[in-house]
Amino acid sequence: MLIVCCALIVKQGCVLAVQRSQQMTHAGLWEFPGGKAEPDESLKDCIVREIQEELGMNFSVEQTLEPVAFQYPERSILLHPFVGTSDDTPALSEHQAFQWLAPGDLPSMDWLAADIPVWQQWLRIENSLK
């Protein structure tokens, strides 16, 4: 099973989503940025590194969500979501687009399958705090 981390970068009540480029598997689908953990790397170090590499952003972790196990046709993953903030503007290096999405906009996007339970979990938490 592949260990993967993703970031829900929250700014002014919106969350950052990135669109997979044509060179990536599942091209055109939306996801939360992140990537694979290196051997002997902590999950927190992984997500901070991945956000810096992929988006040129400094990411401050504030919360973890429950991991999501997902089976794609080509591999199984265990996705570890982190919620946090960044004051930086995304600079795309791997993805073709980004959007800051209000919570109500999340269901209307064409998501990578493993990310759907992540945003659903985040919405439940956000709604419970209101």
Side-chain angles (χ1 to χ4, degrees):
M1 182 171 286
L2 192 62
I3 305 300
V4 182
C5 296
C6 72
L8 286 80
I9 304 171
V10 181
K11 186 191 242 176
Q12 298 173 346
C14 293
V15 66
L16 182 68
V18 291
Q19 188 177 36
R20 296 177 68 84
S21 71
Q22 297 307 310
Q23 293 74 35
M24 302 167 93
T25 58
H26 310 286
L29 296 181
W30 291 86
E31 67 179 349
F32 296 112
K36 297 181 277 296
E38 301 288 342
D40 301 323
E41 181 179 44
S42 76
L43 297 174
K44 184 177 178 183
D45 287 346
C46 169
I47 196 56
V48 169
R49 174 185 56 76
E50 284 286 344
I51 298 308
Q52 182 62 53
E53 288 176 3
E54 281 187 19
L55 300 171
M57 299 174 78
N58 294 308
F59 178 62
S60 299
V61 174
E62 296 177 357
Q63 179 183 12
T64 58
L65 300 180
E66 289 298 315
V68 173
F70 196 84
Q71 179 67 51
Y72 286 104
E74 67 274 11
R75 71 174 59 112
S76 63
I77 68 166
L78 184 59
L79 180 60
H80 294 269
F82 291 86
V83 180
T85 59
S86 178
D87 292 328
D88 303 323
T89 301
L92 299 179
S93 62
E94 297 180 18
H95 297 86
Q96 63 185 11
F98 73 87
Q99 285 190 44
W100 291 99
L101 300 171
D105 295 333
L106 294 171
S108 66
M109 303 299 287
D110 193 8
W111 288 97
L112 191 62
D115 288 61
I116 295 170
V118 172
W119 63 254
Q120 289 173 336
Q121 184 181 168
W122 180 71
L123 283 181
R124 281 193 302 276
I125 292 167
E126 289 297 299
N127 289 333
S128 72
L129 298 175
K130 292 180 181 174

